[in-house]
Amino acid sequence: MNLPNILTVFRVLLAPFMVWIIINPQFFTENGFHESWVAYFAGLIFVIASVTDFFDGFIAREWNQSSELGGILDPLADKMLIVGAFLALLTIGKISIWAVYIILIRELFISGLRITAISKGIDVSASWSGKVKTVTQMFAIGFLLMDWIFATELLWLSVFFTVYSGIEYIVNFSKHK
């Protein structure tokens, strides 16, 4: 286990904890916390987990600590965090079911495509649009958790980049096939 993998495992552990906080605000409010603090706490957990996503990749590249385990765990941890947050937000009624549906379908399809590509020796590193997709999804989740202005618009912008990057993956896979 190297540091990037430890950060990834930490993200895997934070994801269900964040989901639980989002869908169980009454645990906190019944114990004297204002409901806004529940959002802040869930947001803090999400930000910490999101920052580990950046640092695990950065450290793996800069310190030459990339590993096969990290290559498998990192995308899984990302999906657990992002999809978990979107499903929790759907559960509490803060997000459109259509946005979640589009994001889930893309994630499932591209995950299957990535597995196929890896088995055929095709490079599946994240493209710029995939990175933009991830960043806009993370910002959308943060804005939705905090009930900030333009949260819904940011969500739909992230849906656009989700679809765009999915199409880009399909086109690139088709070129290599």
Side-chain angles (χ1 to χ4, degrees), residues 109 113 117 120 122-123 166-177:
F109 183 78
L113 190 65
K120 295 179 184 282
I122 298 171
D123 179 29
I167 291 169
E168 189 174 67
Y169 264 110
I170 293 166
V171 168
N172 288 338
F173 178 78
S174 298
K175 286 179 183 176
H176 288 96
K177 193 168 176 197

Side-chain angles (χ1 to χ4, degrees), residues 7-67:
L7 290 172
T8 300
V9 168
F10 183 58
R11 190 163 67 256
V12 166
L13 297 174
L14 285 178
F17 182 55
M18 177 206 59
V19 169
W20 184 84
I21 292 168
I22 294 169
I23 63 176
N24 292 295
Q26 70 282 359
F27 175 82
F28 296 95
T29 56
E30 289 172 1
N31 287 299
F33 290 92
H34 189 270
E35 63 187 50
S36 63
W37 282 99
V38 178
Y40 296 146
F41 191 48
L44 177 63
I45 300 294
F46 182 75
V47 167
I48 291 169
S50 297
V51 168
T52 68
D53 183 32
F54 168 77
F55 280 110
D56 68 10
F58 178 79
I59 292 168
R61 284 185 302 277
E62 292 297 312
W63 295 358
N64 198 24
Q65 291 189 352
S66 296
S67 68

Side-chain angles (χ1 to χ4, degrees), residues 160-171:
F160 169 79
F161 282 114
T162 298
V163 171
Y164 181 86
S165 68
I167 291 169
E168 189 174 67
Y169 264 110
I170 293 166
V171 168

Side-chain angles (χ1 to χ4, degrees), residues 117-170:
I118 290 169
S119 73
K120 295 179 184 282
I122 298 171
D123 179 29
V124 289
S125 0
S127 65
W128 73 269
S129 65
K131 293 176 192 281
V132 170
K133 171 210 61 122
T134 301
V135 169
T136 56
Q137 286 178 345
M138 288 179 172
F139 272 99
I141 290 166
F143 273 55
L144 288 160
L145 281 171
M146 299 284 98
D147 283 325
W148 287 345
I149 190 168
F150 301 121
T152 302
E153 292 81 2
L154 195 52
L155 168 66
W156 286 105
L157 181 64
S158 78
V159 169
F160 169 79
F161 282 114
T162 298
V163 171
Y164 181 86
S165 68
I167 291 169
E168 189 174 67
Y169 264 110
I170 293 166

Side-chain angles (χ1 to χ4, degrees), residues 51-112:
V51 168
T52 68
D53 183 32
F54 168 77
F55 280 110
D56 68 10
F58 178 79
I59 292 168
R61 284 185 302 277
E62 292 297 312
W63 295 358
N64 198 24
Q65 291 189 352
S66 296
S67 68
E68 192 173 319
L69 177 63
I72 294 167
L73 278 182
D74 185 61
L76 176 64
D78 292 347
K79 304 295 180 267
M80 288 178 66
L81 181 64
I82 299 294
V83 171
F86 281 138
L87 289 174
L89 288 165
L90 178 64
T91 301
I92 63 171
K94 283 192 173 187
I95 189 172
S96 162
I97 191 167
W98 288 108
V100 174
Y101 180 74
I102 292 166
I103 290 167
L104 277 175
I105 292 301
R106 183 269 186 205
E107 296 301 337
L108 291 171
F109 183 78
I110 297 303
S111 292

